[in-house]
Amino acid sequence: MLTQRTLKSRISATGIALHSGRLVQMALIPAPPSTGIVFARTDLRDAQGRPVEVQAHADNVLETRLATTLGRDAATVGTVEHLMAALSGLGIDNVRVELDGPEVPIFDGSAAPFVELVREAGGAVAQSRPKRFLVIRRAVEVRDGDRVARLEPAPSFRLQ
C-alpha cells in the first residue's frame, strides 16, 4: 500500500512574485494526513484572526490564463503551477504553504527551485494513511475549439 506523504521539515524562502513584482516570503510546512495542499495567506486574516486559507482544489481555480490562480472568499493565490508540479512530481500529498502576499514566488520560472526546497527540507516522509488515486472508469473529453483533452480507462498510466 502506498501511503500519503508530507515534508520532513519546514522550510522557508523569499522571492519575487511574477505578476505583482512583490517580494514574497513563503514557508512550506509539513501537514497532517488528508490535509492536501493548503495555501495560507498570512497577510489576510479571517474573522477569528487566522490566516485565510485556500485549498488547492479544482473547485477553487479562478483563472488559468498566463498563470493559475486559486481563490476563496475574496482571497486569491496566484502562480501556483510550478510549486504544484514539484509537489506532485515528488509524490507529496500534504503541505501547508504560507505566503505573505497574493502570489507564489517565481524564482527561475521552473519547478526546479521548489524541488530543491523540498530536498533542503529533508525530502518527503510517509504518513499513516493510504494515498488516494483518481481512477478513470469511463472516457471523459473536453473540447475548446480545435483543442481536445481526453481521459480513458487503461490498465496502466499512458500519455499520448
Side-chain angles (χ1 to χ4, degrees), residues 124-138:
V125 294
Q127 295 182 293
S128 60
R129 294 210 183 122
K131 192 177 276 279
R132 297 177 61 196
F133 293 95
L134 175 66
V135 177
I136 306 301
R137 299 193 188 283
R138 63 180 173 81

Side-chain angles (χ1 to χ4, degrees), residues 12 47 51 55 72 98 116:
S12 299
Q55 184 80 28
R72 185 183 137 268
E98 292 186 348
E116 186 57 33

Side-chain angles (χ1 to χ4, degrees), residues 32-71:
S34 301
T35 298
I37 310 300
V38 176
F39 291 89
R41 290 277 308 269
T42 60
D43 59 324
L44 302 175
R45 301 291 171 169
D46 65 15
Q48 289 76 37
R50 297 178 303 231
V52 175
E53 295 182 351
V54 178
Q55 184 80 28
H57 190 277
D59 291 341
N60 291 333
V61 174
L62 300 178
E63 180 65 56
T64 58
R65 197 172 2 147
L66 301 179
T68 304
T69 300
L70 304 173

Side-chain angles (χ1 to χ4, degrees), residues 91-149:
I92 296 174
D93 305 286
N94 304 302
V95 174
R96 179 179 177 85
V97 181
E98 292 186 348
L99 300 165
D100 70 352
E103 286 182 79
V104 173
I106 193 64
F107 299 123
D108 72 356
S110 77
F114 299 105
V115 170
E116 186 57 33
L117 281 172
V118 171
R119 286 188 180 138
E120 289 177 26
V125 294
Q127 295 182 293
S128 60
R129 294 210 183 122
K131 192 177 276 279
R132 297 177 61 196
F133 293 95
L134 175 66
V135 177
I136 306 301
R137 299 193 188 283
R138 63 180 173 81
V140 178
E141 184 174 285
V142 177
R143 292 182 175 271
D144 183 11
D146 63 348
R147 296 173 290 200
V148 178

